[in-house]
Amino acid sequence: MIRGKRGITSSTFKFILAAIAGALIFLFFIRFSFQSVETSSLLEERELIEHFNDHLEAFGISEQSYKTINLFDETTLQFDCTFIGNKGYTRNFNKLVFAPQTLTGEAITAWTRTWSFPFPIANLYYLSTDNVRTIVVYNQNTLSLIQKLNIPHTFNIQYTTAQNLDLPQLHANARSLDALNIIYLYDIPNPQAIIAALPNTNLHLAEINPVSHTFTIYTTGTNGFYLGEEMLPGIFFAPDNAPCIITAALERLQQVALVYSQKASLLSTKTDDEDCITRLFQAAQTLDTFRTLDDGVSLYTYLDLIKEQNTLLEKNDCTPLY
């Protein structure tokens, strides 16, 4: 005997559809909640970075100024050349900011000053926290250079001689630091011995030669040149990021040099004095060459030439370029 099959009743079918629809709606709201949290977090990160940049903008209009930027909660900021980031949000503000690759804290110590080489180019920014310690080692030949830099007292920076550098004591205190920067203002006799004496620390060891305007960072194996004394504090506070910032600064210098070259050409059309026309033409040629250079020796050679030409313009009653 063949038995008849019962089909799915209308009420059962409706129940199944309702259950499926309910599950889909539930999953939608879960996904929406996660997306809302992610979006909210990204907005907070963006607001933090924009807030931080507003502070830099506000005190960056002066030739030299320093301040403490409060972040209110412990925050980690990332710095990669001209990019500033926090967690998932990163933005290029096109500022020349000398800061370590990461800074963590509730407050950031900030300082800015105008960088000229030889004409004004841009403001440089220097950032650090209390938990980043910088020690500058000097000798009798470089003491006056430290005094000339006039670094604000708000930074966690000390100056000492090699004889007073107590590495065992420094090692005991450095383990709790986010970073330890040791910068010699002359050739380090035995850099590897210093590195070996400070294990398990985030050490950055560098030497700077003020005569050749060069630096070597032993802990990263990088070296290069700097453009003006204004960049020295940048190497002090951010030896890991300094080479990249100096490269970005050179690009800015080349752009501004073009502007001054064009200014010299324009000024030559505004005078009838043949001597001034000749001098302005020579200045424009020098600046055109200057903006193509990318090695320290040549840049400093042309720096002196530009200064001399500008001085002679003024002495001969011609309009100076800066």
Side-chain angles (χ1 to χ4, degrees), residues 1 17 27 36 44-45 51 77-78 90 122 136 172 184 189 221 223 228 235 245 253-254 261 281 304 314:
M1 182 174 72
L17 285 178
L27 290 172
S36 296
E44 290 176 3
E45 293 158 11
H51 163 78
L77 298 178
Q78 294 93 33
T90 302
V136 179
Y184 276 68
N223 55 68
I235 302 173
I245 299 300
L253 167 63
Q254 292 167 342
S261 172
F281 176 75
D304 292 337
E314 195 166 13

Side-chain angles (χ1 to χ4, degrees), residues 296-315:
V297 174
S298 298
L299 282 162
Y300 275 95
T301 298
Y302 271 78
L303 170 72
D304 292 337
L305 181 57
I306 292 168
K307 287 180 179 179
E308 180 185 354
Q309 289 178 335
N310 196 65
T311 299
L312 290 174
L313 281 169
E314 195 166 13
K315 283 184 176 179

Side-chain angles (χ1 to χ4, degrees), residues 161-297:
T161 61
Q163 292 77 13
N164 293 326
L165 189 64
D166 188 341
L167 292 178
Q169 181 64 38
L170 190 57
H171 182 241
N173 297 331
R175 294 179 185 179
S176 61
L177 296 173
D178 290 337
L180 172 63
N181 305 323
I182 301 180
I183 315 296
Y184 276 68
L185 292 180
Y186 58 91
D187 292 347
I188 305 176
N190 191 347
Q192 295 307 318
I194 297 175
I195 295 173
L198 297 167
N200 304 314
T201 62
N202 187 16
L203 171 67
H204 299 103
L205 177 64
E207 71 178 26
I208 295 172
N209 186 327
V211 177
S212 63
H213 313 288
T214 56
F215 63 89
T216 299
I217 303 171
Y218 288 101
T219 41
T220 60
T222 56
N223 55 68
F225 58 87
Y226 61 91
L227 300 170
E229 292 177 355
E230 299 95 328
M231 288 191 177
L232 288 177
I235 302 173
F236 293 177
F237 298 126
D240 53 342
N241 239 352
C244 183
I245 299 300
I246 292 172
T247 298
L250 177 58
E251 293 175 359
R252 192 75 58 87
L253 167 63
Q254 292 167 342
Q255 294 166 1
V256 176
L258 173 60
V259 173
Y260 276 94
S261 172
Q262 293 171 338
K263 179 180 179 180
S265 298
L266 179 63
L267 288 173
S268 68
T269 66
K270 303 293 184 180
T271 180
D272 295 326
D273 189 310
E274 291 296 329
D275 181 59
C276 289
I277 292 173
T278 300
R279 293 183 183 280
L280 288 165
F281 176 75
Q282 291 172 342
Q285 284 187 315
T286 300
L287 287 162
D288 282 337
T289 302
F290 185 57
R291 66 187 181 87
T292 66
L293 303 174
D294 59 4
D295 69 280
V297 174

Side-chain angles (χ1 to χ4, degrees), residues 127-138:
L127 306 179
S128 191
T129 66
D130 289 342
N131 215 36
V132 175
R133 185 179 181 187
T134 299
I135 299 174
V136 179
V137 184
Y138 65 90

Side-chain angles (χ1 to χ4, degrees), residues 23-41:
L24 290 174
I25 292 172
F26 179 68
L27 290 172
F28 168 78
F29 278 109
I30 290 178
R31 183 184 178 191
F32 179 76
S33 297
F34 277 110
Q35 288 178 332
S36 296
V37 170
E38 290 174 359
T39 301
S40 175
S41 178

